[in-house]
Each structure stands twice: as C-alpha cells, then as structure tokens.
Amino acid sequence: MLVRQYYSELDRVTAYGISVADLPITNTFSEEQIQIMLEAGRDEALGTDGKLVTERRITLDSNLGREFDMETLGGKAFVKVRVYFVQNRIYTLTAVGSSRERVSTNASRFLNSFRLIDSSTNK
C-alpha cells in the first residue's frame, strides 16, 4: 500500500495533516465492507491509549466516510479525524491540538476545505 502524508504545524501544540493511502486492490466494495474498513481504521488510530470521544458517519459527495474525535497521550492531546473511502483510495484528514476547544475552534475550516476534483491524472 502506498501512503503519502502531509502535515503542517501551526505552533508547538497545533497541527493539521492529510494522508492518502492507495489500496493495491481494485475491487468494488459493499457499503458494509467499507464501514468495516472505516471502523478498523478508527480502531488503529485510537491505538492503546486513545479514548473515543465522539463519532459519526459522514459522506463526501457519494463517498462513505467517518468522523471521530479522540483524546490521546493521557488527555494531553485532542484529535479530530475525518476519513473518506473513495474507490481504491483512503483520505484521512487530521487536526491535532492540546485541547478540544483549541482544535474545535479552528479545525472546521481546514476539514471543510477538502474537496475531490475530477482529474484524469488522479486515477
């Protein structure tokens, strides 16, 4: 699996990121299979010390996704994540900060800016 990650630190305690994972398979998946993969990704992101705070199913265009908030590092970090499953690609957007208030105040602008474009070079 090819994964590309891009992150930007705004200051010492706030960062935004996006990762793109290309799956090596080109199968068509059912909605149930996609939900299982999104749940597995959430569980992997939580790891052993993450605490799930909120979660909801989302879509981008007609593509299934998941949004969840988590605390990690013993409550010292708050993370807001959006994951979208698009054909054989998984997009993950992440906003990290020292507190829920700090992340929630600014993360929406970053997370809501993500769009899919129709490009023949992106297939």
Side-chain angles (χ1 to χ4, degrees), residues 100-111:
R100 182 180 199 151
E101 295 76 25
R102 186 175 186 94
V103 171
S104 297
T105 301
N106 300 311
S108 293
R109 186 171 173 193
F110 167 70
L111 297 171

Side-chain angles (χ1 to χ4, degrees), residues 23-62:
L23 301 175
I25 50 179
T26 58
N27 295 356
T28 301
F29 296 99
S30 70
E31 181 175 338
E32 181 181 359
Q33 290 170 317
I34 293 170
Q35 293 298 346
I36 289 169
M37 285 187 271
L38 291 170
E39 289 171 11
R42 176 210 56 217
D43 293 345
E44 184 176 331
L46 288 170
T48 57
D49 72 338
K51 176 185 168 194
L52 186 64
V53 177
T54 63
E55 177 179 29
R56 68 185 180 107
R57 292 180 179 193
I58 58 175
T59 59
L60 179 65
D61 301 333
S62 61

